[in-house]
Amino acid sequence: MPFRRAATLFAVAAAWAFQALAGSPGVAAPAVAGDGTANTAVVFAYDRFGEDQTPSISIRIDQFEAHLDELQDGDYQVLPLPRILDALRSGAPLPDRAVAITIDEASRSAFREAWPRLKAAGLPFTLFVATDAIDRGSPAHMSWAEVRQLAAAGVTLGGLGASTQSLVSRPADEVKTELRRMADRLQAETGQRPTLFAYPQGEVSSALRTIVTEQGFAAAFGQQSGVLHPQADRATLPRFVMNESFGSVDRFRLAANALPLPVTDLTPDDPLLTVNPPSIGFTVSDEIGDIARLACFAAGQGRTALERVTEDRVEVRIRDPFPPGRTRVNCTLPAPEGRWRWLGMQFVVPE
């Protein structure tokens, strides 16, 4: 990697970890072989495109085009998400810097703005569909004919729930009913029953994770930052979220070059917090080596204090309770070639 590019990645990493938290968006180390293959992949999450009235979920068109230019000009391999998941499950190697693109919700701007650009670039992607808005004929969303057009062109379809509302605080029977309704509608309209799922707003709890698994989804994705690897929990896989506020090409490049920070025994094990501030701890794989430069950042609180309980066991000291709603903690560790290891956690604080 050229020196200037590596230096840019190094300089922006800590700032991104801090700024992304201020804005709300378990495991073996990656084996990078001499032939340029690896067993990790980065997944990006988009929602809307060029909708200035919703900057928290929309990316500017110029930002998105810069991301696509980076993917085409850099040392990346953009692959269909099912291919990445199959490789991680089977142990087949992936190319270094493997990347997948996902889009949530099936908005009209995704069809009008993102789809033509992705098609022209020849880049595959996965669309996580929220079915209720399409059934209502919402002008802000695709039609079923447009969804079918994407499916016929080879776009992978997944589910986002029938609505785009969080599922964590709803009764289990209601959640199951919504997931079945979403899957039934997708199958009826496209002939495909979704096997991939994205949690609305990235919000997940242990109970919801169990329901999604029992409903037969092979993999489910949140909105916590991090990198896919073979031992990652298939029911809570990470994605790097891109939006207008945090959509610079430097941020995108940093994420596209990220590596996993492998941990086990992560606490708390339920992202829906019952104790606030939470007692966060994890054990870092001994294959990582020296973790002296590990740093963690908490939403609204900046860099946190860390305590090394043992050589590889770390506890994150959160100073103040988090406010109700979604909140994040990101931990990073420098890696060779100017790359960074990432462990992202998203929690939900009940009202």
Side-chain angles (χ1 to χ4, degrees):
M1 176 181 294
F3 174 80
R4 180 178 298 177
R5 185 177 180 189
T8 299
L9 292 176
F10 187 88
V12 77
W16 175 27
F18 176 77
Q19 293 170 352
L21 290 168
S24 178
V27 254
V32 180
D35 60 358
T37 59
N39 61 351
T40 72
V42 166
V43 180
F44 286 104
Y46 296 91
D47 195 313
R48 298 192 177 199
F49 301 82
E51 298 188 24
D52 295 338
Q53 68 275 22
T54 56
S56 64
I57 60 172
S58 182
I59 193 84
R60 294 200 317 267
I61 300 303
D62 65 297
Q63 292 174 319
F64 185 57
E65 289 177 340
H67 298 175
L68 299 185
D69 289 342
E70 172 68 17
L71 289 176
Q72 292 177 287
D73 296 340
D75 299 325
Y76 311 104
Q77 293 289 327
V78 183
L79 302 174
L81 187 55
R83 177 177 166 186
I84 289 174
L85 295 172
D86 287 345
L88 294 177
R89 181 171 52 248
S90 68
L94 288 165
D96 188 26
R97 295 181 176 87
V99 169
I101 298 170
T102 66
I103 300 175
D104 290 1
E105 192 179 346
S107 68
R108 180 57 54 84
S109 64
F111 184 82
R112 289 181 174 175
E113 303 293 348
W115 163 234
R117 290 170 169 83
L118 288 164
K119 180 169 57 174
L123 299 179
F125 69 98
T126 294
L127 181 70
F128 289 108
V129 180
T131 57
D132 280 355
I134 302 176
D135 283 338
R136 290 196 307 269
S138 165
H141 293 80
M142 298 182 194
S143 67
W144 280 117
E146 290 167 337
V147 173
R148 287 191 291 270
Q149 181 180 338
L150 296 187
V155 174
T156 301
L157 300 183
L160 187 72
S163 71
T164 60
Q165 301 304 308
S166 174
L167 300 171
V168 294
S169 61
R170 293 161 62 181
D173 288 346
E174 185 177 317
V175 172
K176 294 175 184 177
T177 298
E178 174 162 337
L179 294 182
R180 285 193 294 267
R181 184 172 80 251
M182 173 272 294
D184 288 346
R185 290 298 296 130
L186 265 171
Q187 185 170 21
E189 293 289 346
T190 69
Q192 301 180 29
R193 194 165 190 87
T195 61
L196 304 181
F197 182 75
Y199 295 100
Q201 303 173 28
E203 294 188 4
V204 60
S205 65
S206 291
L208 178 57
R209 180 171 52 197
T210 298
I211 291 172
V212 167
T213 301
E214 291 175 346
Q215 292 294 306
F217 292 99
F221 292 82
Q223 292 185 5
Q224 74 279 16
S225 58
V227 181
L228 273 59
H229 55 87
Q231 287 74 41
D233 179 8
R234 286 301 185 95
T236 53
L237 293 171
R239 296 184 293 171
F240 285 97
V241 176
M242 293 287 126
N243 60 21
E244 184 172 320
S245 299
F246 304 102
S248 72
V249 72
D250 284 342
R251 180 180 189 264
F252 181 86
R253 184 181 298 122
L254 182 69
N257 282 272
L259 295 167
L261 178 60
V263 304
T264 56
D265 303 319
L266 176 64
T267 59
D269 59 359
D270 192 339
L272 181 61
L273 297 183
T274 57
V275 176
N276 187 22
S279 298
I280 300 173
F282 50 82
T283 300
V284 181
S285 168
D286 57 9
E287 298 178 42
I288 292 302
D290 184 16
I291 60 171
R293 299 175 69 188
L294 178 71
C296 295
F297 302 82
Q301 301 183 36
R303 187 163 182 165
T304 68
L306 298 180
E307 182 174 343
R308 297 276 292 275
V309 180
T310 64
E311 186 65 23
D312 55 2
R313 181 72 185 174
V314 176
E315 293 187 355
V316 183
R317 304 303 186 196
I318 304 299
R319 183 179 66 250
D320 302 315
F322 292 118
R326 295 188 299 279
T327 193
R328 292 180 172 87
V329 174
N330 283 340
C331 297
T332 63
L333 181 69
E337 297 184 331
R339 301 172 78 174
W340 290 77
R341 296 187 180 277
W342 283 82
L343 171 66
M345 294 160 273
Q346 178 170 288
F347 301 105
V348 181
V349 181
E351 295 289 342

